[in-house]
Amino acid sequence: MPEGAADLHEPVLRAEVVRILSPLTGKTVVDGTLGLGGHTEALLQADETVRVIGIDRDAEAIALASQRLARFGSRIRTIHGNFRDLGQHLDDIKIKTVDGLLLDIGVSSLQLDASERGFSFRRDGPLDMRMDRKGTQTAADWIHTATESELSAIIYRFGEERYARRIARAIVSARECDRITATTQLAGIIRNAVPAKYAYRRLDPATRTFQAIRMFLNDELGALEAGLAAGFERLIIGGIFVVISFHSLEDRIVKRFFREKARACVCPPKLPECICDKEIEAEILTPRPLTASPSEIEANPRSRSAKLRAAVRLR
Ligand SMILES: C[S@@+](CC[C@H](N)C(=O)[O-])C[C@H]1O[C@@H](n2cnc3c(N)ncnc32)[C@H](O)[C@@H]1O
């Protein structure tokens, strides 16, 4: 883990998150993706009466963020866990409802920068990629046992990688000679598998495959769907849900979830009259997702793909 990582981290769309969740006076907000605690710190600094419950499935993130946020005393409570189990986590601390919820999903700079976590193809490390290291299956384990068609399907689905088949074939043939255990070893296999012209594009040819394996291994889309439902259920009427995503598949899930909550009727369009009795449950606060400004993108290139969507619970 890089020295002082907690000091270096600037959360994405920080001012927008604070603005949308404000006024914060007397509120309890859940930060379901505490990470290095950047957003939580911004919220705690913005109002001296707000309380934050910070959840992360990564024990190292919890340890670092707890250190960073210790000066806020009892206004911050940290929980090592998955936000998909939000209801259970809140029950455990005897909290029924909250006033605001934030999810800033995906991988953190802490995880990407630590070579021993195996998330980055740019750093040589063990092929791990587990966000929660209590999980049993590492990326190396999965790559060793998955069939060629499973590899190809996952790389295509979560990485939207057009050369998924070629990459899967190359992985299977490489592992017949030697177990694939290191990030740079896998990155090399991928780079050799794709056509040469692909290698000269802006994106490293390993990017999409690494992203796909990470998303699959940590069931990131499944957790997002479950976390949205669990979170909405625990919001008070008038409570605000903010979600930042970095990937089109994630953004689509968030967009659909909020749209469905904001719709009056979910009957098939062919029905002559409404029979669903659905009521509008939310109002969308961001008809178009908020994105980072050019200056934020310059300071933090990763913010380029961030999309923030927010909704308020109405019933
Ligand atoms: C982009 S970072 C969050 C950064 C944070 N907002 C900050 O300001 O430092 C995403 C974090 O979410 C965590 N995470 C991803 N999926 C999760 C899940 N299902 N449950 C809990 N934490 C999750 C990751 O471990 C990572 O630390």
Side-chain angles (χ1 to χ4, degrees):
M1 171 186 322
E3 276 292 302
D7 303 330
L8 294 172
H9 187 64
E10 175 65 18
V12 173
L13 295 164
R14 171 197 178 116
E16 290 79 357
V17 167
V18 173
R19 180 174 57 76
I20 294 173
L21 288 168
S22 291
L24 290 162
T25 310
K27 287 187 175 166
T28 299
V29 176
V30 169
D31 180 349
T33 49
L34 183 65
L36 291 172
H39 285 114
T40 286
E41 182 179 64
L43 293 168
L44 291 165
Q45 277 171 342
D47 185 289
E48 58 184 28
T49 60
V50 70
R51 292 169 179 272
V52 180
I53 299 160
I55 301 173
D56 204 293
R57 68 197 292 191
D58 185 333
E60 285 178 35
I62 289 288
L64 263 181
S66 301
Q67 222 177 314
R68 176 183 189 171
L69 303 167
R71 68 183 192 281
F72 296 103
S74 62
R75 292 205 289 133
I76 171 72
R77 191 156 189 173
T78 59
I79 297 172
H80 177 219
N82 195 313
F83 62 63
R84 73 190 305 157
D85 306 317
L86 186 81
Q88 186 58 53
H89 296 314
L90 291 181
D91 284 348
D92 289 346
I93 56 172
K94 311 222 172 336
I95 289 185
K96 279 203 167 70
T97 53
V98 296
D99 305 287
L101 260 159
L102 168 67
L103 298 179
D104 168 23
I105 47 189
V107 71
S108 72
S109 51
L110 165 76
Q111 290 161 337
L112 279 175
D113 290 347
S115 54
E116 76 277 9
R117 301 295 300 270
F119 284 104
S120 173
F121 54 82
R122 293 186 208 286
R123 295 167 195 273
D124 192 27
L127 205 47
D128 189 324
M129 296 200 208
R130 288 169 301 168
M131 283 185 174
D132 183 346
R133 293 217 257 184
K134 281 193 310 196
T136 47
Q137 196 182 35
T138 64
D141 294 335
W142 180 66
I143 279 177
H144 188 63
T145 51
T147 63
E148 185 176 323
S149 60
E150 279 166 349
L151 287 163
S152 165
I154 294 298
I155 296 169
Y156 185 73
R157 173 161 179 232
F158 296 115
E160 296 173 314
E161 169 59 72
R162 60 196 288 212
Y163 296 113
R165 279 210 199 137
R166 282 189 190 214
I167 293 170
R169 206 176 311 135
I171 289 174
V172 168
S173 106
R175 78 183 180 193
E176 276 163 15
C177 313
D178 203 1
R179 195 177 159 107
I180 306 166
T181 55
T183 49
T184 47
Q185 188 188 0
L186 176 62
I189 294 165
I190 299 165
R191 289 185 193 119
N192 286 332
V194 300
K197 63 175 189 311
Y198 197 52
Y200 293 107
R201 300 247 175 99
R202 195 169 52 86
L203 207 64
D204 188 294
T207 311
R208 290 171 180 275
T209 300
F210 268 65
Q211 169 193 293
I213 297 172
R214 191 204 85 215
M215 288 177 76
F216 165 71
L217 207 65
N218 294 290
D219 187 22
E220 292 180 34
L221 298 185
L224 176 60
E225 285 187 11
L228 287 169
F232 195 82
E233 206 170 289
R234 293 306 187 107
L235 265 185
I236 60 155
I237 306 299
I240 293 170
F241 207 149
V242 179
V243 187
I244 303 173
S245 63
F246 292 85
H247 189 284
S248 58
L249 295 174
E250 294 164 344
D251 182 53
R252 202 174 305 153
I253 290 173
V254 181
K255 183 170 74 179
R256 285 191 181 153
F257 179 81
F258 284 164
R259 274 201 189 152
E260 207 274 324
K261 292 287 176 199
R263 268 168 74 178
C265 166
V266 288
C267 290
K270 280 184 190 153
L271 281 191
E273 63 182 53
C274 172
I275 53 158
C276 70
D277 287 337
K278 161 109 174 45
E279 290 178 298
I280 295 177
E281 294 172 87
E283 181 190 339
I284 293 172
L285 300 174
T286 49
R288 283 168 177 274
L290 304 187
T291 53
S293 66
S295 60
E296 178 168 359
I297 294 173
E298 202 186 328
N300 174 12
R302 191 176 168 261
S303 67
R304 188 186 305 115
S305 44
K307 287 197 171 134
L308 182 155
R309 294 186 186 269
V312 56
R313 181 168 182 178
L314 298 182
R315 69 172 65 241

